[in-house]
Amino acid sequence: MLKKVNRLDYFTLMVLVGLVELKNGSAVADKLHTTQSKVSRALNCLREVLDDELFIRQKYGFEPNSVALRIYPMAQSILEQYDKIISTTRNTVVAPYELTVAAHEQWSMMVFNCVTHQCCCVEGGVNVNVQPWSENVSERLCQGKLDCSISIEPIRHEMVDDVNIGDITHFFLVARVGHPILTSADPLRDIFNYKLGLVNSNLHNNRLHRIEEYAHEQGIKLRVALKSPSLRMIVDHASRTEDVCVLSSAMAFEYFEDREDVGFIDISAQWRDCVEQQPESYFLHCHRSVTPLLAQCMARLLTEKLIDIQHHYESSQGLAPTNVRAGVKAFLT
């Protein structure tokens, strides 16, 4: 038996831990910078030495059985001891934590600044790899191929923590300077006289924009000129056409705040009365392989930044501060 156990080297234990956490062979291979064939050989070695299947193959990966779950914390402990042995024989600087985040345009720089300049919970710091949003982000996150993402809907997967980092509280119409909609007495009705530009933030499930849902419910004919996840593209389009763009969240304000070629009106009150059935929120999604302290720190910093952005807009317009709801406190406790 001792001869068999000697086959459980550092890499093989890393594969065991990776498969329990990520439940996907290709995700483990990516994380360990190796090939799927080597991961498969390591899994076969584990099964032979421990005389147990350990993992049950499912449609999208592997599900650890009770034996694998019992061994998992032991393997983690052994790997920690390996790392301590290495650290005591090398006088090197701790390598930064690598964090891969998928986010829409308006969130990308915020995530980067919050994590790299304000987060001090990880020894060695954090290197952020920001990737653009795409329709398969949720799937990649569940597989462990991404560490985090931000969207307006929870993912609800056992390997992902969804944290509400704040509600969307502001809504705007943006159009070229001098456009009739900017002086309309009933802009939420009159926008349907024009083609609309909408931010497409639901690429992963093709859900309709709220204004599209509202028009359908009211039997109103709606004409969409442009859909894009890019706020910059939407505002640029409004500046050059007669189309009216519908933007959500105070985060959009910086995209037209200092522009002289477009104007805006705040339709937050009318929007909430006529369109919103319940508040939409921003969610930070973290795969459970992410260091818990880092996930908690990101959630707190992003909530604080979102509140700052909302207060900046409100103070610039002489408005009373909005009560911003967020789920970070529950996550932290």
Side-chain angles (χ1 to χ4, degrees), residues 26 37 46 66-67 116 118 143 152 159 183 206 211 213 216 224-225 230 236 242 244 285 289-290 293 330 332:
S26 62
S37 61
L46 286 162
S66 59
V67 175
T116 58
Q118 295 179 264
Q143 293 175 346
I152 60 172
M159 292 304 295
T183 55
N206 294 317
I211 200 70
E213 294 178 346
H216 179 74
V224 176
S230 170
D236 285 345
E242 293 299 305
V244 178
H285 316 290
S289 62
V290 176
L293 279 177
L332 296 175

Side-chain angles (χ1 to χ4, degrees), residues 7 10 23 40 59-60 63 66 76 83 114 120 129 133 136 150 162 182 187 234 264 273 287 294 305:
R7 297 172 62 191
Y10 183 84
K23 300 184 179 182
S40 296
K59 184 177 180 181
Y60 296 110
E63 188 69 31
S66 59
Q76 279 186 313
D83 293 338
C114 284
C120 303
N129 173 22
W133 192 268
N136 66 343
I150 300 173
D162 298 311
L182 300 177
I234 292 289
F264 76 96
D273 290 342
H287 192 273
L294 177 57
K305 185 62 177 176

Side-chain angles (χ1 to χ4, degrees), residues 49-150:
V49 171
L50 300 175
D51 194 24
D52 192 274
E53 281 298 300
L54 299 175
F55 297 90
I56 302 168
R57 183 173 289 279
Q58 303 287 353
K59 184 177 180 181
Y60 296 110
F62 295 95
E63 188 69 31
N65 65 15
S66 59
V67 175
L69 292 175
R70 288 203 304 271
I71 294 173
Y72 169 66
M74 304 176 200
Q76 279 186 313
S77 178
I78 293 171
L79 291 173
E80 288 173 3
Q81 296 306 314
Y82 268 117
D83 293 338
K84 287 180 181 179
I85 291 172
I86 294 171
S87 65
T88 58
T89 57
R90 292 183 180 176
N91 185 22
T92 58
V93 177
V94 177
Y97 188 99
E98 299 289 337
L99 187 77
T100 303
V101 182
H104 289 289
E105 173 188 77
Q106 62 269 31
W107 281 100
S108 298
M109 188 56 68
M110 186 190 301
V111 171
F112 175 78
N113 288 333
C114 284
V115 174
T116 58
H117 300 316
Q118 295 179 264
C119 184
C120 303
C121 65
V122 178
E123 185 180 4
V126 182
N127 284 346
V128 182
N129 173 22
V130 179
Q131 298 186 3
W133 192 268
S134 64
E135 61 184 6
N136 66 343
V137 161
S138 298
E139 179 182 344
R140 293 172 62 209
L141 184 63
C142 295
Q143 293 175 346
K145 295 180 179 180
L146 289 171
D147 295 316
C148 303
S149 66
I150 300 173

